[in-house]
Structure formats: C-alpha cells, structure tokens
Amino acid sequence: MSDRLPGFSTLAVHAGAQPDPTTGARATPIYQTTSFVFNDADHAASLFGLQAFGNIYTRIGNPTNAVLEERVAALEGGTAALAVASGHAAQVVVLQQLLQPGDEFIAARKLYGGSINQFTHAFKSFGWNVVWADPDDIASFERAVTPRTKAIFIESIANPGGSITDIEAVSTVARKAGVPLIVDNTLASPYLIRPIDHGADIVVHSLTKFLGGHGNSLGGIIVDAGTFDWSTGGKYPMLSEPRPEYHGIRLQETFGNFAFAIACRVLGLRDLGPALSPFNAFMILTGIETLPLRMQKHCDNAKAIAEYLAGHPAVASVSYAGLPNDKYNQLARKYAPRGAGAVFTFSLKGGYDAGVSLVSKLQLFSHLANVGDTRSLVIHPASTTHSQLDDAAKVKSGAGPDVVRLSIGIEDKEDLIADLEQALGA
Ligand SMILES: *Cc1c(COP(=O)(O)O)cnc(C)c1O
C-alpha cells in the first residue's frame, strides 16, 4: 500500500467498507436484523455500560448503517457520524443534545420550507425557541445572540434560491458566542462544499437528496467535526455532566472529540427512536459511490439551464449562484468552485399564474416536492412548500409568488431545455 491519502472519489466508493469477513461479499451486506447475540454476560454488560463498542439492537446501531456513517464522516472530514431515518430526524436529534426548555438557537431565514415549519412550530412545543437571522447580513446573527443561545443553524447552499452562505463569517460569530455552528449541507453535498473545512462544528444532511441521489430512500445523518469543547461554562449538560442512564459517565470526558456523535446515538437515537432501516442505508451507500460523477453532471446541467433561462423573454430573473452576474457568484467561487449546485429558482414575468401554468405544462420535469433526484424536478414554492408563510415571509425566504424552483437532474441538458422551451413558449 502506498501512503497516499485517498481522494474524494476513492472515499466515496470505499470508506468504511471491507469484504464481509465471513462470506467474502464485496458489496456491503444488508444486516436486516433487529438484534445481535452477545458473546457472554460480561460482553453484554460492557456494551450496555458503554465500556465496549458493538452491536446491541438496530435502534442504537447496525453494521450496514455503520458503513454509511463511516463513509459520510470521511467525505465530510468529521470524526464520526450517526445515521438516522430522515433529515428532519437529524435536526431533532442534534438540537435535543444542545437545548434545554427555554433555550434559543439562531437560524438563517433562508431554509428548506420543512425546516422553517419544524423550527417554528414543533420545536416550540419542546420549549426550544428559534430566533431568525438574515444569511445576507452577518451582523444580524451577532445581534441575535443572548445568554440562552445554544447553537447557530445555517444551510451551506440555501433552499429554495440556491444562495451561498458565508460559512466562515457565521462561524466567527458562533466562536465569539461560544456556541456550535450547525450546517445543513444537503444541497451542496461534500463534493461541492465541506463545511467543516470552513468552521462548522456539526454537519447535518437529508440523505434523501443528493447523497442517496435516486429519489428512492429517506435518510438523514449527523457528522461530528470534533471541534467543539462541550465542557465550557456548563452550557451543554447532556455532554459535560454525569449521565444517570450510563452509571454517571460524562460523555465529553469519556469520548473526547467524538462525544457529540456518541451523545446523538446513546441519548438521542436510543430514546427518540428515529432509526434508519439497514435497507435504506444500503440504497444510500450505493448512491454515494457515484456522488462525484452525478454531482458534477447535476451542476454542469444546472449552469446550462440557468444560462438558457436568463436569456428567455418570459423570464424576469434567474437566481443561480453559478451565473457570473449573480449576487452570490463571489461566494460560489470561494465555497463551491466545482459548481453552484443544481437547485435554483427563477421568476416569471407573468407572476403566480405563469408559475402555475409552467409547472402544469412541463413533461420531462416531474412536478413534486423533492430535490436531488437523478430526474429533473420542478415546483412552485408559493403554492406548495412555502404556502404556509405570509406574503412578506415568502418573499424574504426567496419564495415569492412569481418564483419557480428547479432541481436539475442528470438527463441530457438539450432535452431539459426543449421541455422548458415548449412549456414557456406555448
Ligand atoms: C429535504 C431536506 C431536509 C429534510 O430532510 P428529510 O429527509 O425530508 O427529512 C432538510 N434540509 C434540506 C435542505 C432538505 O432539502
């Protein structure tokens, strides 16, 4: 073996996996089992007491899921990861380790519509209070910090407009406030942006999107950067204080730079229960093997389509950070030099009605609520994903009435342009 460090594409195929030691199976087997036999009574006791690593029950961990966890941790440059049932489950599990009732977290206002709902309504019932900031105005994060702030949450490439967040600038605010920066890296994937390289302490993903990549399996993941000191100021008792359910051990003291991933597993996943099915882990692992190839094609197609739309007479504006005159082009060059992603919006001169009409005329594009599929997708956010927001909030989050969102797939770009041409023209 050479002592070269493997590159990204090699890690996408191999990280975390090895031939099955009993059968020689080369693809990672689906360990479709709920539970695992202990060697003896001492082994069982040490697993339950967190004195040994091993498999107990699939709600807490599973060997197929473990390969997925190791692979995504390697691709993101983290110390460890925890796979869960969906992107939303990842967000709940992360914040449950950080917030007590009455605490606050700051979130960028430009987010996936489902996250806006989850933060505004569901989390409120847990006593977790979201304070919104504007990702285009870094000072708004600083102004939002209070003694009860426990975390900052942003998207690297933000839904729905594909805008790029200045991760390093927000990370500086988080450092100063003494709280971790959580980055939802779903729309970028680690192929385009590795937030940990820019100061993120925790990365979350909806694996449902580009990582799985084929629109067939839900999943989520939490990556621990291993960068945050959880012991300061008693702000994070789940990590720094003795845990009664594990004979009084302190997770940070015992597990060091992967304590956060352990907390998410042994306190979050174990007790809240959103475990990922090993079958879905297998589907997502298979998807990840081609992530670099797919992501490049997604981005190249998206750029060509954004350029086509920018020149179309029915189009008022295109919001794609990969276009040289876009407001976010400088940030895209810095953070995502391989491409600015494949999800973006454009607005139609004909407003709301033109948006609804376009969506109904497209044939190759599928009209549905998802992104990051091999297939090209379209949605009109104002009448669907963002319909619960009032008009001002719609515009602020980039989902005004005239806005259409595309998620560009890996088909031939000429066919996608022909479909847009017939739908816009007719
Ligand atoms: C889809 C999505 C989520 C939620 O993920 P699920 O797997 O649907 O629960 C969170 N963030 C972003 C950016 C997403 O696109």
Side-chain angles (χ1 to χ4, degrees):
M1 285 293 268
S2 76
D3 45 14
R4 234 188 91 80
L5 286 176
F8 190 89
S9 296
T10 304
L11 292 173
V13 174
H14 290 284
Q18 51 193 28
D20 183 64
T22 48
T23 62
R26 192 63 190 86
T28 297
I30 304 170
Y31 289 97
Q32 190 71 23
T33 179
T34 54
S35 30
F36 303 84
V37 176
F38 305 121
N39 301 342
D40 53 42
D42 284 347
H43 177 226
S46 65
L47 289 175
F48 274 91
L50 298 183
Q51 283 111 15
F53 289 108
N55 299 304
I56 299 176
Y57 185 65
T58 286
R59 172 154 43 72
I60 308 168
N62 173 283
T64 310
N65 300 19
V67 175
L68 174 62
E69 289 160 352
E70 231 183 281
R71 187 159 308 170
V72 177
L75 294 175
E76 287 286 5
T79 53
L82 176 71
V84 293
S86 69
H88 269 13
Q91 295 170 186
V92 181
V93 168
V94 162
L95 290 176
Q96 192 220 3
Q97 311 320 309
L98 304 177
L99 272 71
Q100 307 289 315
D103 282 344
E104 296 168 5
F105 69 107
I106 302 168
R109 185 175 277 124
K110 282 187 187 161
L111 288 186
Y112 174 69
S115 300
I116 296 177
N117 275 339
Q118 186 191 44
F119 293 180
T120 308
H121 303 293
F123 286 180
K124 197 173 189 171
S125 70
F126 302 164
W128 304 344
N129 300 310
V130 61
V131 181
W132 299 107
D134 177 358
D136 298 331
D137 171 15
I138 300 302
S140 71
F141 287 89
E142 255 179 300
R143 287 195 301 272
V145 174
T146 77
R148 300 223 68 162
T149 305
K150 293 296 173 72
I152 299 180
F153 187 102
I154 59 174
E155 291 181 358
S156 51
I157 298 183
N159 226 320
S163 55
I164 313 278
T165 308
D166 189 346
I167 303 170
E168 287 171 16
V170 182
S171 146
T172 303
V173 176
R175 289 273 132 84
K176 247 175 79 186
V179 303
L181 174 63
I182 306 163
V183 179
D184 180 340
N185 199 33
T186 299
L187 290 198
S189 90
Y191 176 75
L192 297 180
I193 301 179
R194 299 206 326 163
I196 292 171
D197 295 346
H198 303 289
D201 300 295
I202 297 161
V203 173
V204 292
H205 276 281
S206 169
L207 296 170
T208 317
K209 315 295 170 53
F210 291 100
L211 284 169
H214 294 72
N216 58 26
S217 307
L218 263 88
I221 203 157
I222 300 156
V223 182
D224 184 352
T227 43
F228 198 83
D229 180 0
W230 305 104
S231 63
T232 44
K235 262 163 100 168
Y236 301 99
M238 296 280 273
L239 288 125
S240 64
E241 298 310 303
R243 294 311 310 174
E245 58 275 72
Y246 292 108
H247 312 297
I249 70 167
R250 297 171 197 262
L251 295 179
Q252 159 127 35
E253 197 178 274
T254 309
F255 297 105
N257 71 356
F258 57 101
F260 187 75
I262 295 280
C264 288
R265 184 187 303 281
V266 305
L267 302 174
L269 185 58
R270 188 196 69 162
D271 295 347
L272 299 176
L276 179 68
S277 134
F279 180 80
N280 281 21
F282 172 84
M283 296 298 280
I284 293 162
L285 268 172
T286 304
I288 289 174
E289 292 181 9
T290 56
L291 174 71
L293 301 170
R294 285 187 290 106
M295 213 59 209
Q296 195 60 57
K297 175 92 173 177
H298 278 295
C299 289
D300 296 348
N301 277 356
K303 183 149 190 281
I305 286 159
E307 283 165 356
Y308 158 78
L309 288 169
H312 196 285
V315 173
S317 64
V318 178
S319 162
Y320 183 61
L323 294 177
N325 57 358
D326 190 83
K327 183 177 166 190
Y328 299 100
N329 191 250
Q330 280 296 105
L331 288 170
R333 283 169 194 275
K334 171 173 177 174
Y335 286 103
R338 286 165 156 165
V343 176
F344 66 93
T345 54
F346 65 100
S347 69
L348 288 160
K349 290 180 182 159
Y352 188 96
D353 294 340
V356 172
S357 153
L358 174 80
V359 162
S360 64
K361 284 182 186 147
L362 284 167
Q363 289 162 1
L364 188 54
F365 281 81
S366 302
H367 178 206
L368 53 76
N370 191 22
V371 295
D373 193 326
T374 50
R375 287 155 276 262
S376 289
L377 315 174
V378 62
I379 201 161
H380 179 230
S383 60
T384 55
T385 53
H386 289 63
S387 61
Q388 77 287 354
L389 303 179
D390 62 38
D391 285 351
K394 274 185 188 129
V395 172
K396 269 190 184 163
S397 65
D402 52 344
V403 171
V404 174
R405 185 186 75 188
L406 301 179
S407 172
I408 303 300
I410 60 173
E411 303 97 332
D412 289 307
K413 62 176 184 285
E414 295 79 7
D415 294 329
L416 297 171
I417 290 173
D419 193 29
L420 286 162
E421 182 75 16
Q422 65 77 21
L424 284 167

